[in-house]
Amino acid sequence: MSQADQSQQLVMLCHKMHQEGLQPGVGLLRARAPFKVSVTQAIDAIKAWNTSSKMPAIPASDAGDRVAALEKRVSKMESAIAILEQRLAQLSDKTA
């Protein structure tokens, strides 16, 4: 495994730990890594994780659940807007 691949895998491991509610640290990262990691590699990976602004892609199952939840919210909002439009039309008819 190349140095770049190892670094990328360490950064992804930091993201995973963060999602689990853990703060990635040198010792924790070295303990969880599937390969031998030097202290400087761990420090560099944590620095890269800290500066990265984007999270890894959402797993497909979570994305599907999220889409379904958003579609449900949109449906409810469309129903609420239809009711509000009806009430607005009734108010407009009464004042006219």
Side-chain angles (χ1 to χ4, degrees):
M1 183 181 291
S2 72
Q3 184 73 15
D5 291 338
Q6 285 182 347
S7 296
Q8 185 178 12
Q9 191 171 0
L10 290 173
V11 172
M12 294 302 290
L13 189 57
C14 288
H15 283 295
K16 184 178 177 185
M17 285 190 285
H18 185 261
Q19 287 176 343
E20 293 172 357
L22 299 171
Q23 179 65 30
V26 173
L28 187 58
L29 185 59
R30 290 182 75 195
R32 290 206 175 179
F35 49 87
K36 191 168 183 149
V37 177
S38 71
V39 174
T40 55
Q41 282 178 310
I43 291 170
D44 290 341
I46 292 170
K47 284 181 182 177
W49 171 73
N50 281 330
T51 58
S52 69
S53 61
K54 57 184 175 182
M55 294 293 288
I58 299 171
S61 62
D62 290 345
D65 294 343
R66 186 166 185 225
V67 168
L70 290 172
E71 287 176 347
K72 187 176 180 181
R73 285 184 64 193
V74 167
S75 176
K76 285 183 180 181
M77 288 180 182
E78 287 174 340
S79 298
I81 289 172
I83 291 170
L84 289 172
E85 287 175 342
Q86 288 175 351
R87 290 182 181 171
L88 185 60
Q90 289 173 352
L91 287 173
S92 295
D93 291 342
K94 287 182 181 178
T95 58

